[in-house]
Amino acid sequence: MSIDTAFWCEITEEGVCLLEYRGYDSLAAVPEEIACKPVVSLAPYVFSAHRNYHDRGHGDAFWWSPSAGRISEKEAQEVPKVKGEVLTELRLPAALKEVGAYGFYNCWNLKKLELYSTTLDWGPGVFTGCGAVEELLIHVDQSRKSCLKEILSELRQTLRVTYDGPEKARLIFSEFFEEAVENTPARILVTNTHGCGKEYRNAFVATQFQFREYDSLFSQIQIQEPEELVTELAMGRVRYPYELAENHCRQYLDYLTEHKDRAARKALENHDIDGLIWLTEHLSWDREELKNVIETAGRQGNQAAVSYLMNRTAGQGNVKRRRFEL
């Protein structure tokens, strides 16, 4: 029987602890169960290339394959490790409660992470060296308590977050960094923060994300971040308006109206035909404006967008927007 995925693991009182992951794909999808028991923890350094847990005392550990059940170590070692720079995308199970220290240490190429809000115990240094992470998908239960704040504080680069709660929301947390500057006469260090990403990351009460506080910061990001990123943030909020107040919806729509050409170009760059359709249906466009978008789509070879826009403008004067309702 062909083995394409193998897990080295041990049974604990609560379930299974994953010690090592092997597979042929750069996407690692940790299963919900191994040997009919829930996967509740990841060992320290589990996806890091810098430690080897075979050197430790795990006398009860065993190898498991979804296709073959228990397998020998020899069979498992025929499958390559998914560690370090190999890992590009990671999906964690709903039952997971704990991630060990430095679990993803120096996974330089990790770009996407899917997890559940109920994974609350994150060891120190889990995301050290994970500077390429750009997308998070977090599933949030009815309590709305989550580990999102802790993760955002560890990852200071620009992050695009899909918040999958009672309804879906699309959020952007921009990059920030802190710089210590010496005030020599006073003999103190002054910390200067660059970028408004820190303020956005503080939009929490305890572990519950506060959408209205997030939306209230929109005037700040317009000043401190490039138009492209601000446009993307506004689009995410109005297209997925979970917990979006009417006054904040208006500010996003006003911004998109003023920057609709940039928004349309961004949708074309991302091959986001649904986003382009949303823009043309909810904002007012004249024929000349749509002609410019059609030309841009044509230069990119995006025939689906060209076809849609040509049909949209055929036989019409100004293209009126649909009424937006929360």
Coordinates of all heavy atoms in Angstrom, one line a residue, residues 128-165:
T128 N 8.8 32.5 15.7 CA 10.1 33.1 15.4 C 10.6 32.6 14.0 O 10.6 31.5 13.7 CB 11.1 32.6 16.5 OG1 10.6 33.1 17.8 CG2 12.5 33.2 16.2
G129 N 11.0 33.6 13.2 CA 11.5 33.3 11.9 C 10.4 33.0 10.8 O 10.7 32.5 9.8
C130 N 9.2 33.4 11.1 CA 8.1 33.1 10.2 C 7.6 34.5 9.5 O 6.5 34.8 9.5 CB 6.9 32.5 10.9 SG 7.2 30.9 11.5
G131 N 8.6 35.1 8.9 CA 8.3 36.5 8.4 C 7.6 36.5 7.1 O 7.2 37.5 6.6
A132 N 7.3 35.3 6.5 CA 6.6 35.2 5.2 C 5.1 35.0 5.3 O 4.4 35.0 4.3 CB 7.2 34.1 4.3
V133 N 4.7 34.8 6.6 CA 3.2 34.5 6.7 C 2.5 35.8 6.3 O 2.7 36.9 6.7 CB 2.9 34.2 8.2 CG1 1.4 34.1 8.4 CG2 3.6 33.0 8.7
E134 N 1.5 35.6 5.4 CA 0.7 36.7 4.9 C -0.8 36.5 5.0 O -1.6 37.4 4.9 CB 1.1 36.9 3.4 CG 0.9 35.7 2.5 CD 1.5 35.9 1.1 OE1 2.3 36.9 1.0 OE2 1.1 35.2 0.2
E135 N -1.2 35.2 5.2 CA -2.7 35.0 5.3 C -3.0 34.1 6.5 O -2.3 33.1 6.7 CB -3.2 34.3 4.0 CG -3.1 35.1 2.8 CD -3.7 34.4 1.6 OE1 -4.7 33.7 1.8 OE2 -3.2 34.6 0.5
L136 N -4.1 34.5 7.2 CA -4.6 33.6 8.3 C -6.1 33.4 8.1 O -6.8 34.3 7.7 CB -4.4 34.4 9.7 CG -3.0 34.7 10.2 CD1 -3.2 35.5 11.5 CD2 -2.2 33.4 10.4
L137 N -6.5 32.2 8.3 CA -7.9 31.8 8.4 C -8.2 31.3 9.7 O -7.6 30.2 10.1 CB -8.3 30.8 7.3 CG -9.6 30.1 7.4 CD1 -10.8 31.1 7.4 CD2 -9.9 29.1 6.3
I138 N -9.0 32.0 10.5 CA -9.2 31.6 11.9 C -10.7 31.3 12.0 O -11.6 32.2 11.7 CB -8.7 32.6 12.9 CG1 -9.0 32.1 14.3 CG2 -9.3 34.0 12.7 CD1 -8.2 32.9 15.4
H139 N -11.1 30.1 12.5 CA -12.5 29.7 12.8 C -12.8 30.1 14.2 O -12.1 29.6 15.2 CB -12.7 28.2 12.5 CG -12.3 27.8 11.1 ND1 -13.1 28.0 10.1 CD2 -11.1 27.2 10.7 CE1 -12.5 27.5 9.0 NE2 -11.3 27.0 9.3
V140 N -13.8 30.9 14.5 CA -14.1 31.4 15.8 C -15.5 30.9 16.2 O -16.4 31.0 15.5 CB -14.1 33.0 15.8 CG1 -14.4 33.5 17.2 CG2 -12.8 33.5 15.3
D141 N -15.5 30.3 17.4 CA -16.8 29.8 17.9 C -17.7 30.9 18.4 O -17.4 32.1 18.4 CB -16.6 28.7 18.9 CG -15.9 29.2 20.2 OD1 -15.9 30.4 20.4 OD2 -15.4 28.4 21.0
Q142 N -18.9 30.5 19.0 CA -19.9 31.4 19.4 C -19.5 32.3 20.5 O -19.9 33.4 20.7 CB -21.2 30.6 19.8 CG -21.9 29.9 18.6 CD -22.4 30.9 17.6 OE1 -22.8 32.0 17.9 NE2 -22.5 30.5 16.3
S143 N -18.5 31.9 21.3 CA -18.0 32.7 22.4 C -17.2 33.9 21.9 O -17.1 34.9 22.7 CB -17.2 31.9 23.4 OG -15.9 31.6 22.8
R144 N -16.7 33.8 20.7 CA -15.9 34.8 20.1 C -14.5 35.0 20.8 O -13.8 35.9 20.5 CB -16.6 36.2 20.0 CG -17.8 36.1 19.0 CD -18.6 37.4 19.0 NE -17.7 38.5 18.7 CZ -18.1 39.8 18.5 NH1 -19.4 40.0 18.7 NH2 -17.3 40.8 18.3
K145 N -14.2 34.2 21.8 CA -12.9 34.2 22.4 C -12.0 33.5 21.5 O -12.3 32.5 20.8 CB -12.9 33.5 23.8 CG -13.8 34.2 24.8 CD -13.8 33.4 26.1 CE -14.7 34.1 27.2 NZ -14.7 33.3 28.4
S146 N -10.7 34.0 21.4 CA -9.8 33.4 20.4 C -8.4 33.7 20.8 O -8.1 34.6 21.6 CB -10.1 33.9 19.0 OG -9.6 35.2 18.8
C147 N -7.5 33.0 20.1 CA -6.1 33.2 20.2 C -5.5 34.2 19.2 O -4.3 34.4 19.1 CB -5.3 31.9 20.0 SG -5.8 31.1 18.4
L148 N -6.5 34.9 18.5 CA -6.0 35.8 17.4 C -5.1 36.9 17.9 O -4.1 37.3 17.3 CB -7.3 36.4 16.7 CG -7.0 37.4 15.6 CD1 -6.2 36.7 14.5 CD2 -8.3 37.9 15.0
K149 N -5.5 37.5 19.1 CA -4.6 38.6 19.6 C -3.2 38.2 19.8 O -2.2 38.9 19.4 CB -5.2 39.2 20.9 CG -4.5 40.3 21.4 CD -5.1 40.9 22.7 CE -4.3 42.1 23.2 NZ -4.9 42.7 24.4
E150 N -3.0 37.0 20.4 CA -1.7 36.5 20.6 C -0.9 36.3 19.4 O 0.3 36.6 19.3 CB -1.8 35.2 21.4 CG -0.5 34.6 21.9 CD -0.6 33.4 22.8 OE1 -1.8 33.0 23.1 OE2 0.4 32.8 23.1
I151 N -1.6 35.7 18.3 CA -0.9 35.5 17.1 C -0.5 36.8 16.4 O 0.6 36.9 15.9 CB -1.8 34.6 16.2 CG1 -1.9 33.2 16.8 CG2 -1.2 34.5 14.8 CD1 -2.9 32.3 16.1
L152 N -1.4 37.7 16.4 CA -1.1 39.0 15.8 C 0.0 39.7 16.4 O 0.8 40.4 15.7 CB -2.4 39.9 15.8 CG -3.6 39.5 14.9 CD1 -4.8 40.4 15.2 CD2 -3.2 39.5 13.5
S153 N 0.2 39.6 17.7 CA 1.3 40.2 18.4 C 2.6 39.6 18.0 O 3.7 40.3 18.1 CB 1.0 40.2 19.9 OG 1.2 38.8 20.4
E154 N 2.6 38.4 17.6 CA 3.8 37.7 17.2 C 4.2 38.0 15.8 O 5.4 38.0 15.5 CB 3.7 36.2 17.4 CG 3.5 35.7 18.9 CD 4.8 35.8 19.7 OE1 5.9 35.7 19.1 OE2 4.7 36.0 20.9
L155 N 3.2 38.2 14.9 CA 3.5 38.4 13.5 C 3.3 39.9 13.2 O 2.1 40.3 13.1 CB 2.6 37.5 12.7 CG 2.8 36.0 12.9 CD1 1.6 35.2 12.2 CD2 4.1 35.6 12.4
R156 N 4.3 40.6 13.0 CA 4.2 42.1 12.8 C 4.2 42.5 11.4 O 4.1 43.7 11.1 CB 5.4 42.8 13.5 CG 5.4 42.5 15.0 CD 6.4 43.3 15.8 NE 6.3 43.1 17.2 CZ 6.9 43.8 18.1 NH1 7.7 44.8 17.7 NH2 6.8 43.6 19.4
Q157 N 4.3 41.6 10.4 CA 4.2 41.9 9.0 C 2.7 42.2 8.6 O 1.8 41.9 9.4 CB 4.8 40.8 8.2 CG 4.0 39.5 8.2 CD 4.7 38.6 9.2 OE1 5.1 39.0 10.3 NE2 4.7 37.3 8.9
T158 N 2.4 42.6 7.4 CA 1.1 42.8 7.0 C 0.4 41.5 6.8 O 0.9 40.5 6.2 CB 1.0 43.5 5.6 OG1 1.6 44.9 5.8 CG2 -0.4 43.7 5.1
L159 N -0.8 41.3 7.5 CA -1.5 40.1 7.5 C -2.9 40.3 6.9 O -3.6 41.2 7.3 CB -1.6 39.5 8.9 CG -0.3 39.1 9.6 CD1 -0.6 38.8 11.0 CD2 0.3 37.9 8.9
R160 N -3.4 39.3 6.1 CA -4.7 39.3 5.6 C -5.4 38.2 6.3 O -5.1 37.0 6.2 CB -4.7 39.1 4.1 CG -4.2 40.4 3.3 CD -3.8 40.1 1.9 NE -3.4 41.3 1.3 CZ -2.2 41.9 1.4 NH1 -1.3 41.3 2.2 NH2 -1.9 43.0 0.8
V161 N -6.5 38.6 7.1 CA -7.1 37.6 8.0 C -8.6 37.4 7.6 O -9.3 38.3 7.4 CB -7.1 38.1 9.5 CG1 -7.8 37.2 10.4 CG2 -5.6 38.3 9.9
T162 N -8.9 36.1 7.4 CA -10.3 35.8 7.2 C -10.8 35.3 8.6 O -10.4 34.3 9.2 CB -10.5 34.6 6.2 OG1 -10.0 35.1 4.9 CG2 -12.0 34.3 6.1
Y163 N -11.8 36.1 9.1 CA -12.4 35.8 10.4 C -13.7 35.0 10.2 O -14.7 35.6 9.7 CB -12.7 37.1 11.1 CG -13.2 37.0 12.5 CD1 -12.4 37.2 13.7 CD2 -14.6 36.8 12.7 CE1 -13.0 37.2 14.9 CE2 -15.1 36.8 14.0 CZ -14.3 37.0 15.1 OH -14.9 37.0 16.4
D164 N -13.6 33.7 10.4 CA -14.8 32.8 10.2 C -15.5 32.6 11.5 O -15.3 31.6 12.1 CB -14.3 31.5 9.5 CG -15.4 30.6 9.1 OD1 -16.5 31.1 8.9 OD2 -15.2 29.4 9.0
G165 N -16.4 33.5 11.8 CA -17.2 33.4 13.0 C -18.7 33.1 12.7 O -19.0 32.3 11.7

